[in-house]
Amino acid sequence: MYEGALADLIEELGRLPGVGPKSAQRIAFHILSADAHDVDRLSDALKRVKQLVRVCEICYNVSEEERCRICRDGRRTDENICVVEESKDVIAVERTGEFRGRYHVLGGAINPLEGIGPDNLRIRELMTRLQAGETKELILATDPNTEGEATATYLALLVKPMGITVSRLASGLPVGGDLEYADEVTLGRAFEGRRVLD
Amino acid sequence: MRRRLFRDDAVVLRVQKLGEADHIVTMLARRGGRIRAVAKGVRRTTSKFGARLEPFGHIDLQMVEGRNLHIVSQVEGIDLYGRRIAEDYAAYTAASAIAETAERLTPIEGEATLRLFQLTLGAMRVLAERAYPSTLILDSYILRGMRDAGWAPVLIACAICGLKGDHRAFSIPAGGCVCRDCRPAGSAHPSPSALVLMRALADGDWKTATASENGVRKEASGLIAAHLQWHLERDLRSLSLVERN
């Protein structure tokens, strides 16, 4: 059994998601044997992220300023809004380089089993944005699981009467994979979303 | 020690994130009752069976027995209702409440509950087929599930003295309808139509149930939910989020 500062560190590390007692112990000993400057950098980074990072007042993506980099970018179009569950999904879509519109981060998906309903997400804020009238298409990029699909269904019910085009990201086969290894659900979705070749 | 491999078919009730890419899947199995298992790597897009382990689906699976949690090794989809249910928001919220009810009605993990399994599977099927309004399916499920658990509200006699008849008062602590003589203080006085609907839902009389009016359905739903939560001694989180409009 460890005691004092080392025990405290192991306990704190063990509270992080995905870090079990063994991993916490391993990381704690790594920190103990690391260079003092490296530990200071880590400690400063932890403090700074809590002090500086907040959410963008428009899209609710993480940002160090009132408006995030994407909402400040005048070259992007206001006509398309891509709705995602979490800030990390913004990064995933940005990596594609295919989307030049704005985002809206819901903060999760509707999950009654966890007590998360529409009022617990930033749906009201999304509706306020849409009422400004500049949006022509709302792209629903919630996760392709049951909660994500139900959230997309709910949003489509709310938004379609406003005359805005509502689209959902396609589901299908991963690029580079073999057809024979695809599961029947994904392959079925790929068939549904097939496109005509020009 | 070699771990035992076993196979069962199950309805997926709930999935919870575990670590970077895993899920803990809670299921109601035909032979094994309520079981929990770890499905490794299913959140990765390369997962071989992640799509089959989505909530509300009926699956055939092979697992490796574990001390606390089993480990899913193979899954085949029998009827994957999740997507069809998620395309109808009211059905999705009702299915979530059914899944939570099934979990609460099976407090002991691994104890076989064949009737509840069949009831849950049937409820998911009719929700996916949109055979009846989703709130009626949910209320019928709760009434029948409580009957299997021994908590069915008494609807055709007095819950206290047993006098047969269409009694007008309803007392949740007493266990259902109560006659004029036995009626405890604070008993509810639902409309006769609400009690007719509750009897129809408990017996699976869909012709009578679907002919009911919206106000009557809400009244019956309130009594059914209160009766369930009284016996469970806790609130169901999903019930307050059920879409009833």
Side-chain angles (χ1 to χ4, degrees):
Chain A
M1 292 293 284
Y2 304 103
E3 54 189 37
L6 185 58
D8 292 346
L9 180 59
I10 292 171
E11 194 184 322
E12 290 303 320
L13 289 169
R15 288 164 61 177
L16 297 174
V19 180
K22 279 276 179 200
S23 301
Q25 186 179 300
R26 187 167 45 82
I27 299 166
F29 274 97
H30 172 79
I31 290 171
L32 199 60
S33 61
D35 188 81
H37 290 296
D38 291 341
V39 178
D40 284 344
R41 270 210 319 275
L42 174 65
S43 157
D44 285 347
L46 288 171
K47 280 182 189 156
R48 281 181 60 232
V49 79
K50 280 306 285 179
Q51 284 166 357
L52 301 178
V53 178
R54 50 182 150 172
V55 291
C56 168
E57 63 178 9
I58 296 176
C59 72
Y60 299 92
N61 187 11
V62 288
S63 171
E64 288 192 15
E65 294 175 44
E66 280 186 358
R67 292 187 178 190
C68 71
R69 177 182 54 81
I70 293 167
C71 287
R72 288 197 313 266
D73 189 344
R75 292 166 300 174
R76 300 184 77 114
T77 174
D78 289 323
E79 291 184 350
N80 304 326
I81 293 181
C82 178
V83 178
V84 294
E85 289 182 18
E86 305 288 352
S87 290
K88 53 193 182 211
D89 300 328
V90 171
I91 305 300
V93 178
E94 281 297 284
R95 276 204 306 262
T96 66
E98 295 284 332
F99 182 65
R100 297 297 301 159
R102 312 284 185 188
Y103 290 91
H104 189 87
V105 181
L106 289 175
I110 298 172
N111 188 348
L113 283 165
E114 301 296 330
I116 303 169
D119 292 345
N120 303 106
L121 304 175
R122 297 185 191 108
I123 292 177
R124 200 173 296 126
E125 292 83 348
L126 173 66
M127 299 308 286
T128 307
R129 281 181 78 181
L130 296 179
Q131 275 157 6
E134 290 179 53
T135 311
K136 289 188 176 157
E137 184 181 4
L138 190 73
I139 301 162
L140 302 174
T142 49
D143 287 347
N145 53 28
T146 307
E147 293 82 22
E149 294 292 348
T151 308
T153 303
Y154 182 83
L155 288 174
L157 278 174
L158 287 185
V159 175
K160 274 183 184 169
M162 299 171 82
I164 295 168
T165 303
V166 180
S167 59
R168 178 90 175 103
L169 285 195
S171 291
L173 299 166
V175 177
D178 283 3
L179 196 72
E180 62 172 311
Y181 293 120
D183 68 88
E184 69 273 23
V185 182
T186 310
L187 193 53
R189 295 260 191 120
F191 257 97
E192 262 180 31
R194 68 188 184 276
R195 61 191 169 85
V196 176
L197 292 176
D198 297 328
Chain B
M1 191 184 81
R2 265 184 93 176
R3 290 191 174 181
R4 189 174 70 96
L5 266 178
F6 67 103
R7 193 174 162 180
D8 210 337
D9 68 307
V11 180
V12 179
L13 301 178
R14 179 200 292 257
V15 294
Q16 289 160 298
K17 288 179 181 176
L18 175 71
E20 276 205 5
D22 307 340
H23 267 156
I24 294 177
V25 188
T26 305
M27 297 164 273
L28 192 61
R30 187 183 293 274
R31 288 181 289 279
R34 183 168 61 83
I35 48 178
R36 292 190 309 146
V38 175
K40 291 188 173 173
V42 288
R43 280 155 59 204
R44 293 201 177 97
T45 51
T46 50
S47 167
K48 285 296 297 161
F49 50 72
R52 298 174 191 139
L53 282 170
E54 281 295 301
F56 319 134
H58 182 205
I59 52 172
D60 181 358
L61 75 168
Q62 181 170 278
M63 286 171 283
V64 181
E65 195 175 59
R67 210 170 294 160
N68 298 316
L69 293 167
H70 306 306
I71 295 167
V72 178
S73 62
Q74 283 181 39
V75 186
E76 285 294 327
I78 298 172
D79 276 308
L80 302 173
Y81 301 121
R83 188 179 178 207
R84 272 177 285 161
I85 288 174
E87 284 172 348
D88 177 348
Y89 184 68
Y92 170 69
T93 56
S96 300
I98 286 171
E100 192 175 0
T101 305
E103 264 192 81
R104 299 289 167 235
L105 290 176
T106 50
I108 301 168
E109 232 171 277
E111 195 175 74
T113 51
L114 179 63
R115 283 171 64 94
L116 190 66
F117 165 79
Q118 288 170 332
L119 189 64
T120 309
L121 180 58
M124 294 305 178
R125 183 182 301 130
V126 287
L127 275 176
E129 289 169 355
R130 294 171 206 181
Y132 307 111
S134 52
T135 52
L136 292 183
I137 296 169
L138 168 64
D139 288 338
S140 178
Y141 175 84
I142 294 174
L143 285 169
R144 295 197 222 181
M146 281 196 292
R147 185 166 60 201
D148 289 343
W151 301 332
V154 180
L155 298 169
I156 53 165
C158 172
I160 296 173
C161 70
L163 179 71
K164 292 234 183 298
D166 293 343
H167 304 299
R168 290 286 312 277
F170 190 93
S171 166
I172 290 164
C177 292
V178 280
C179 69
R180 194 174 295 184
D181 295 336
C182 299
R183 184 177 58 193
S187 298
H189 289 82
S191 65
S193 311
L195 293 171
V196 168
L197 174 59
M198 284 172 73
R199 286 183 203 117
L201 290 171
D203 296 338
D205 174 3
W206 291 105
K207 195 176 169 191
T208 305
T210 50
S212 59
E213 289 175 5
N214 233 355
V216 173
R217 291 178 189 178
K218 282 187 180 171
E219 200 181 348
S221 288
L223 286 176
I224 294 166
H227 192 85
L228 173 70
Q229 293 178 131
W230 166 271
H231 283 285
L232 291 175
E233 296 178 343
R234 62 183 294 179
D235 288 348
L236 262 72
R237 288 199 282 196
S238 53
L239 269 184
S240 61
L241 295 168
V242 171
E243 179 68 40
R244 296 186 186 275
N245 296 317

